[in-house]
């Protein structure tokens, strides 16, 4: 249906733009170096799920820096306060740079998950990448405002 396709495209574009706004605000305020990377998407089509996850993991780790957090439905669920505590602890330990790795629809393979400092889950559900990126950007911003004692959190 053309109407559904147009609506889906507009929703993803809006989510992408909103996430970019959050990251611009974070960057301008000097609050954090956080990088979000996603899987390879369509370039791995035609491959098995295992092959896709392997290719995605390799490509993600080529870009990743600092404290690596893998987003996967099989990971640990944290509250906003829990994520804030994790980030604060890592910063105290000297890890001020974070890479959040978003996998494809199959998630990440065991090898990729084993290389992460934290495997984090928002839910067992599958989300469109742009929407998930927006939710992740907001949670990073929320965690940093919690740690800074700012009123945004509630």
């Amino acid at each position: 249906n053309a109407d559904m396709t147009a609506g889906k495209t507009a929703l993803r574009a809006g989510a992408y733009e909103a996430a970019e706004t959050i990251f611009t605000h974070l960057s301008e305020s000097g609050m954090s170096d956080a990088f979000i990377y996603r899987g390879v998407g369509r370039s791995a089509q035609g491959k098995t799920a295992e092959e896709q996850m392997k290719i995605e993991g390799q490509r993600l780790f080529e870009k990743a820096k600092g404290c690596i957090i893998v987003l996967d439905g099989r990971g640990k669920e944290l509250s906003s306060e829990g994520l804030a505590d994790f980030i604060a602890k890592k910063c105290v330990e000297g890890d001020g740079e974070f890479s959040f790795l978003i996998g494809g629809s199959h998630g990440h393979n065991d090898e990729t998950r084993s290389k992460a400092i934290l495997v984090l889950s928002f839910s067992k559900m599958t989300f469109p990448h742009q929407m998930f990126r927006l939710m992740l950007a907001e949670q990073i911003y929320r965690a940093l405002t919690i740690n800074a004692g700012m009123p945004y959190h509630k």
Side-chain angles (χ1 to χ4, degrees):
N1 182 315
D3 290 337
M4 286 195 63
T5 301
K8 186 176 178 182
T9 301
L11 178 65
R12 287 182 175 173
Y16 180 83
E17 186 175 308
E20 286 303 307
T21 300
I22 292 171
F23 283 115
T24 299
H25 183 69
L26 282 171
S27 179
E28 288 172 354
S29 64
M31 294 178 78
S32 173
D33 287 324
F35 303 93
I36 297 180
Y37 302 111
R38 71 178 187 117
V40 295
R42 289 188 174 83
S43 64
Q45 283 184 341
K47 308 257 188 238
T48 67
E50 280 301 316
E51 290 170 329
Q52 287 178 18
M53 288 187 292
K54 182 175 181 167
I55 292 166
E56 288 173 348
Q58 291 168 343
R59 291 190 183 167
L60 287 167
F61 275 97
E62 289 172 3
K63 299 175 185 177
K65 306 173 193 173
C67 182
I68 296 172
I69 301 165
V70 167
L71 286 298
D72 189 281
R74 293 162 281 196
K76 180 178 183 177
E77 290 186 12
L78 296 176
S79 64
S80 296
E81 294 87 350
L83 180 60
D85 289 344
F86 174 83
I87 290 172
K89 178 182 172 198
K90 288 298 169 191
C91 286
V92 167
E93 293 172 0
D95 291 324
E97 188 171 48
F98 297 86
S99 292
F100 294 84
L101 309 185
I102 302 171
S105 61
H106 301 294
H108 294 282
N109 64 10
D110 292 340
E111 181 181 353
T112 299
R113 287 191 308 272
S114 71
K115 293 178 181 177
I117 290 176
L118 172 66
V119 179
L120 180 64
S121 173
F122 276 29
S123 169
K124 293 187 183 304
M125 291 187 224
T126 302
F127 298 100
H129 171 75
Q130 305 299 7
M131 189 68 72
F132 187 78
R133 188 172 182 270
L134 172 60
M135 293 187 307
L136 177 58
E138 196 282 332
Q139 284 301 307
I140 293 168
Y141 181 77
R142 183 176 297 269
L144 295 172
T145 59
I146 290 169
N147 288 341
M150 295 170 65
Y152 172 78
H153 174 58
K154 293 286 180 182

